[in-house]
């Protein structure tokens, strides 16, 4: 069902028992984040903060479960959408056939054309209240984490237009409040908004920009979806909702926005102005993205519904609410990925610990030798997949969402020397681990079942001897291991204490080489000593986030690798870029929410997830807290 604003969606969430209303005042500065972090990581409900110190209630964690994600898109099961897209492509293909097939396809195509966005010549409900002297302080904008550079709008849909082609884009780029009518606009260099900005520079004119908040929740998802450039996000929204999106003209510029948005912020970016400093910001990687220069957005008008709700989200150490947006993308975009790029693809998965772009698992129907490597080469250059740092391709019957079985499958079907494909290419600008900004190493793993032609470098059969490994390790100095993991997989996780010893990682690597581990282990994973080696999710997140595959993976033998997932700020010679710290709540905020939890009436006490992350903070690295205030 379509929603005419967030109030409609909130009513459905409440009906489905998927919403907590929080009536006491909660400060948008740090406190809402601390509460939400506890609820999100414990699988809790959406939260409506009714008293934010402003006239606007705040909705958060609205997408934070499979059920709520499906409700937001009006589906019982999001796999339905992938099936519909596949059926659509089948229909279009059928029009090439006999005349009867073409005729039967016409009603279907007409219904599709009726889902295209349309412009209406009247005010929208988003324009019931108009502020021509806008003041952003009327909104409950969050300061999420202690070392954020300020308050950030975290769930905006930013509308831009190409100055020559007139093609529009609706993207999601965080916005830091600079003063009452100015924000920074964090569109990264790879994003369509940034491309439009570069084109507006050539015109010598101001670039119109309008931002919407709320409305039908399908708009939020469409703005995050990995659509090809120049494909209108509101076509996807109409297709998902089965109802075309109605757009209205803004009050102070010529852009069009959804008529049923909750809040609209209109203005412009002047390409002739100097860029402004934006950040730091506790980002979805689980680390702070450091301050950098971005354009200033000047606000000329703000409009909203009478009953407007302010939507927000938080990001930080995963999993957060954005994990469910990623899972929706897996289900919705499998068919387009297969049809447009690789017909052999059966499934793909982006594990939470990989924060969407650090790890992608792809399952294919393999029919010829070299096909796994072909898929790797293709996907590393395909759309937003170009940001992928680790890409593993499998075939056969393995379940790519059962990680223990998947690892065993990879070990059994991979010769590391011949099936590891190291490369270099673009990375997400938020990646902190590469020596150079937004470019670095990548690893493709061809873990498909090998055909006879591919077995010249035969996969070595390993006779894993758990007892022998444990005997080796018990006598090694300063080695902390996860013995429970070792009983299931030929993998060791070791904590390395770098403080005071710039050669600590190198020494650990040499210890494992000399200990003769090559015949018994496949992965030796090194993390910092503050990481709990028994917390495998955190280990995976740290390894994926802190590594450049070309730099940090070394061979102990042909089929045993040492992976250095420690922070690199302590290494000999230092690191060429600033190394950010992990994202955690402050101790005083944690204690305050502990004390006030009962008064919130949102269920049994939940301890702060930041408690276990405090050990990951490093005072000796180039810490955001020290560098930025």
């Amino acid at each position: 069902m379509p929603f005419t604003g967030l109030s409609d969606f909130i009513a459905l969430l409440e009906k489905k028992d998927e919403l907590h209303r929080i009536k006491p005042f909660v400060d948008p500065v740090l406190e809402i984040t601390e509460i939400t972090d506890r609820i999100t990581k414990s699988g809790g409900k959406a939260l409506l903060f009714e008293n934010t110190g402003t006239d606007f209630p705040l909705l958060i964690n609205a997408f934070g479960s499979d059920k709520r994600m499906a409700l937001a898109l009006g589906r019982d099961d999001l796999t339905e959408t992938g099936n519909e897209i596949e059926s659509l492509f089948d229909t279009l293909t059928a029009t090439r056939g006999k005349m009867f097939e073409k005729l039967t396809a016409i009603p279907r195509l007409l219904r599709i054309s009726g889902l295209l966005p349309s412009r209406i010549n009247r005010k929208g409900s988003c324009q019931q209240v108009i502020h021509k002297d806008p003041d952003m302080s009327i909104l409950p904008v969050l300061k999420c984490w202690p070392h954020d550079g300020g308050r950030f709008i975290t769930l905006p849909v930013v509308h831009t237009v190409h100055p020559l082609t007139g093609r529009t884009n609706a993207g999601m780029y965080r916005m830091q409040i600079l003063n009452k009518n100015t924000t920074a606009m964090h569109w990264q260099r790879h994003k369509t908004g940034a491309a439009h900005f570069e084109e507006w520079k050539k015109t010598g004119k101001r670039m119109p920009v309008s931002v919407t908040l709320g409305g039908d929740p399908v708009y939020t998802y469409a703005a995050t979806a990995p659509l090809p450039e120049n494909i209108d996000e509101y076509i996807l929204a109409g297709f998902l909702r089965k109802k075309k999106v109605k757009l209205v003209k803004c009050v102070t510029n010529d852009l069009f926005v959804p008529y049923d948005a909750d809040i609209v912020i209109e203005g412009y970016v002047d390409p002739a102005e100097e860029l402004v400093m934006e950040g730091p910001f506790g980002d979805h990687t689980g680390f702070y993205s450091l301050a950098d220069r971005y354009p200033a957005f000047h606000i000329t008008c703000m409009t909203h519904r009478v009953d407007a709700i302010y939507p927000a989200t938080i990001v930080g150490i995963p999993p957060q609410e954005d994990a469910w947006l990623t899972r929706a993308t897996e289900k919705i975009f499998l068919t387009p990925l297969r049809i447009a790029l690789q017909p052999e693809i059966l499934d793909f998965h982006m594990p939470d610990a990989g924060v969407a772009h650090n790890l992608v698992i792809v399952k294919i129907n393999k029919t010829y030798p070299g096909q796994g490597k072909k898929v790797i080469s293709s996907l590393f250059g395909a759309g937003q997949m170009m940001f992928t740092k680790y890409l593993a391709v499998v075939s056969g019957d393995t379940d790519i969402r059962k990680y223990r079985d998947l690892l065993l499958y990879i070990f059994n079907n991979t010769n590391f020397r011949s099936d590891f494909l190291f490369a270099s290419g673009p990375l997400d600008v938020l990646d902190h681990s590469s020596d150079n900004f937004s470019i670095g190493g990548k690893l493709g793993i061809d873990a498909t079942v090998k055909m006879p032609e591919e077995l010249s470098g035969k996969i070595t059969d390993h006779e894993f001897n758990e007892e022998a490994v444990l005997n080796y390790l018990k006598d090694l100095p300063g080695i902390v291991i996860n013995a429970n993991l070792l009983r299931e997989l030929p993998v060791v996780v070791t904590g390395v204490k770098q403080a005071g010893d710039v050669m600590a990682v190198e020494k650990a690597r040499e210890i494992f080489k000399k200990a003769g581990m090559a015949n018994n282990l496949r992965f030796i994973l090194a993390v910092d000593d503050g990481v709990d080696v028994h917390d495998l999710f955190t280990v995976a997140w740290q390894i994926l986030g802190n590594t450049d595959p070309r730099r940090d993976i070394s061979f102990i033998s042909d089929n045993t690798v040492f992976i250095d997932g420690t922070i690199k700020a302590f290494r000999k010679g230092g690191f060429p870029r600033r190394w950010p710290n992990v994202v955690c709540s402050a101790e005083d905020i944690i204690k305050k929410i502990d004390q006030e939890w009962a008064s919130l009436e949102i269920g049994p006490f939940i301890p702060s997830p930041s408690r276990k992350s405090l050990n990951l903070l490093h005072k000796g690295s180039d810490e955001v807290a020290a560098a930025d205030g």
Side-chain angles (χ1 to χ4, degrees):
M1 61 172 283
F3 300 101
T4 58
L6 283 181
S7 293
D8 275 4
F9 185 45
I10 287 169
L12 178 63
L13 291 177
E14 203 152 30
K15 180 180 178 181
K16 298 291 187 179
D17 194 27
E18 286 287 328
L19 180 80
H20 278 307
R21 290 179 178 267
I22 299 179
K23 299 184 181 300
F25 169 72
V26 180
D27 197 331
V29 175
L30 302 179
E31 293 182 12
I32 286 179
T33 293
E34 174 59 21
I35 294 167
T36 305
D37 195 31
R38 300 183 192 205
I39 292 293
T40 302
K41 285 189 168 71
S42 62
K45 301 178 182 180
L47 301 173
L48 183 67
F49 291 89
E50 296 185 331
N51 186 349
T52 62
T54 74
D55 292 335
F56 298 87
L58 182 148
L59 177 67
I60 199 166
N61 199 32
F63 303 101
S65 72
D66 289 333
K67 181 177 181 181
R68 291 199 295 282
M69 193 70 239
L71 289 173
L73 301 186
R75 305 301 169 102
D76 294 325
D77 184 349
L78 293 181
T79 55
E80 296 173 3
T81 305
N83 295 336
E84 289 172 6
I85 293 174
E86 188 164 13
S87 178
L88 167 62
F89 275 92
D90 289 344
T91 300
L92 295 174
T93 303
T95 61
R96 299 174 184 172
K98 298 177 181 178
M99 181 59 67
F100 175 79
E101 293 173 321
K102 294 180 180 180
L103 291 173
T104 57
I106 288 175
R108 182 83 179 276
L109 298 177
L110 288 176
R111 285 198 297 273
I112 293 167
S113 67
L115 299 178
L116 298 179
S118 65
R119 297 177 175 183
I120 60 177
N121 190 26
R122 64 176 187 273
K123 286 186 177 180
S125 55
C126 64
Q127 297 166 326
Q128 292 172 339
V129 180
I130 299 175
H131 300 272
K132 290 195 173 180
D133 183 19
D135 185 348
M136 296 298 288
S137 67
I138 71 172
L139 299 177
V141 182
L142 299 181
K143 181 177 180 180
C144 299
W145 302 103
H147 305 301
D148 284 355
R151 296 190 185 213
F152 287 81
I153 298 175
T154 56
L155 215 54
V157 179
V158 180
H159 299 75
T160 61
V161 63
H162 192 289
L164 299 180
T165 67
R167 288 177 173 170
T168 59
N169 182 69
M172 187 163 290
Y173 320 119
R174 74 184 189 228
M175 299 162 58
Q176 181 180 348
I177 306 297
L178 302 178
N179 57 47
K180 75 170 193 174
N181 57 14
T182 313
T183 79
M185 186 63 74
H186 185 90
W187 47 46
Q188 301 161 12
R189 58 171 52 177
H190 303 107
K191 304 300 184 181
T192 304
H196 286 178
F197 176 67
E198 292 301 317
E199 291 301 318
W200 277 94
K201 280 184 181 179
K202 301 173 185 176
T203 69
K205 298 177 182 178
R206 291 175 172 178
M207 173 183 179
V209 178
S210 288
V211 177
T212 58
L213 297 164
D216 193 318
V218 74
Y219 307 151
T220 299
Y221 174 72
T224 71
L227 291 171
E229 192 169 345
N230 299 322
I231 298 296
D232 191 327
E233 285 75 15
Y234 293 121
I235 295 176
L236 174 62
F239 177 80
L240 292 172
R241 183 59 74 220
K242 295 295 181 282
K243 182 179 180 181
K244 67 181 177 182
V245 178
K246 297 177 182 178
L247 304 172
V248 295
K249 185 177 176 296
C250 290
V251 175
T252 59
N253 65 34
D254 292 331
L255 297 178
F256 283 76
V257 296
Y259 84 105
D260 57 349
D262 278 65
I263 300 166
V264 182
I265 306 169
E266 304 175 12
Y268 65 88
V269 169
D270 187 347
E273 286 184 342
E274 289 188 10
L275 302 179
V276 297
M277 191 61 75
E278 188 264 5
F281 178 71
D283 229 312
H284 78 279
T285 60
F287 298 82
Y288 283 94
S289 55
L290 302 179
D292 205 349
R293 295 194 175 276
Y294 284 90
F297 171 51
H298 300 278
I299 300 164
T300 54
C301 182
M302 181 160 54
T303 71
H304 60 81
R305 304 166 60 103
V306 171
D307 61 347
I309 309 292
Y310 178 84
T313 191
I314 63 166
V315 289
I317 294 176
Q320 296 285 5
E321 185 177 0
D322 60 320
W324 281 271
L325 293 165
T326 298
R327 292 171 198 173
T329 293
E330 290 179 4
K331 295 175 182 177
I332 293 171
F333 281 86
L334 173 60
T335 295
L337 181 66
R338 183 171 66 242
I339 293 173
L341 290 173
Q342 302 289 332
E344 59 266 79
I345 292 177
L346 301 175
D347 196 3
F348 77 104
H349 175 48
M350 296 173 280
D352 293 348
V355 296
H357 46 71
N358 283 345
L359 174 63
V360 178
I361 314 295
V362 177
K363 184 175 181 178
I364 68 170
N365 176 30
K366 183 173 180 178
T367 58
Y368 56 83
Q371 195 170 4
K373 293 180 173 63
K374 170 251 191 182
V375 170
I376 290 170
S377 299
S378 176
L379 291 183
F380 269 150
Q384 292 190 34
M385 293 285 279
M386 70 177 177
F387 300 129
T388 302
K389 189 155 59 171
Y390 289 88
L391 173 63
V393 179
V394 303
S395 60
D397 296 329
T398 187
D399 186 336
I400 61 176
R401 291 169 179 83
K402 291 183 178 179
Y403 301 138
R404 178 189 174 278
D405 294 345
L406 176 64
L407 264 179
L408 286 173
Y409 169 92
I410 289 174
F411 292 152
N412 289 334
N413 290 284
T414 307
N415 183 313
F416 289 175
R417 286 286 189 188
S418 59
D419 295 326
F420 275 20
L421 281 70
F422 291 94
S424 179
L427 295 175
D428 192 292
V429 301
L430 302 179
D431 185 273
H432 62 273
S433 65
S434 61
D435 286 17
N436 298 298
F437 177 65
S438 73
I439 185 170
K442 298 170 177 286
L443 173 62
I445 303 174
D446 178 9
T448 57
V449 176
K450 300 302 183 291
M451 294 182 168
E453 298 90 339
E454 300 173 288
L455 291 177
S456 56
K458 187 178 182 301
I459 298 169
T460 304
D461 293 326
H462 285 262
E463 296 183 5
F464 178 56
N465 189 327
E466 172 203 331
E467 183 179 356
V469 174
L470 289 172
N471 284 335
Y472 279 131
L473 295 176
K474 71 180 181 180
D475 296 324
L476 298 183
I479 298 295
V480 180
I481 66 162
N482 182 341
N484 293 330
L485 174 65
L486 193 58
R487 294 187 176 98
E488 298 181 7
L489 295 166
V491 177
V492 160
V493 181
T494 178
V496 178
K497 188 171 185 177
Q498 297 190 84
D501 186 356
V502 296
M503 298 299 293
V505 174
E506 193 63 38
K507 290 176 181 177
R509 184 187 293 110
E510 290 304 311
I511 285 172
F512 280 104
K513 278 186 179 180
K514 293 175 182 177
M517 294 294 171
N519 295 324
N520 293 288
L521 295 174
R522 303 301 301 277
F523 283 170
I524 300 167
L525 309 176
V527 293
D528 291 288
D529 61 319
V531 178
D532 180 358
V533 296
H534 298 89
D535 181 350
L536 298 184
F537 182 92
T538 298
V539 168
W541 163 61
Q542 287 274 299
I543 290 285
L544 295 168
N546 285 339
T547 53
D548 178 308
R550 294 185 68 169
R551 182 193 66 213
D552 296 323
I553 295 179
S554 56
F555 283 82
I556 300 290
S557 71
D558 285 349
N559 263 324
T560 304
V561 293
F562 182 97
I563 306 178
D564 176 11
T566 64
I567 70 170
K568 305 305 181 294
F570 293 128
R571 72 182 186 182
K572 187 176 181 180
F575 192 69
R577 299 199 290 145
R578 296 179 58 207
W579 192 275
N581 226 324
V582 297
V583 177
C584 292
S585 283
E587 185 67 41
D588 59 332
I589 297 297
I590 295 172
K591 289 180 178 177
K592 184 175 183 183
I593 298 306
D594 284 351
Q595 294 167 359
E596 296 178 357
W597 188 266
S599 67
L600 301 174
E601 298 183 351
I602 51 177
F605 177 77
I606 302 171
S608 174
S610 287
R611 287 280 182 210
K612 74 172 186 177
S613 303
L614 293 172
N615 286 337
L616 302 179
L617 294 172
H618 287 274
K619 301 297 182 183
S621 63
D622 190 4
E623 186 186 1
V624 170
D628 292 288

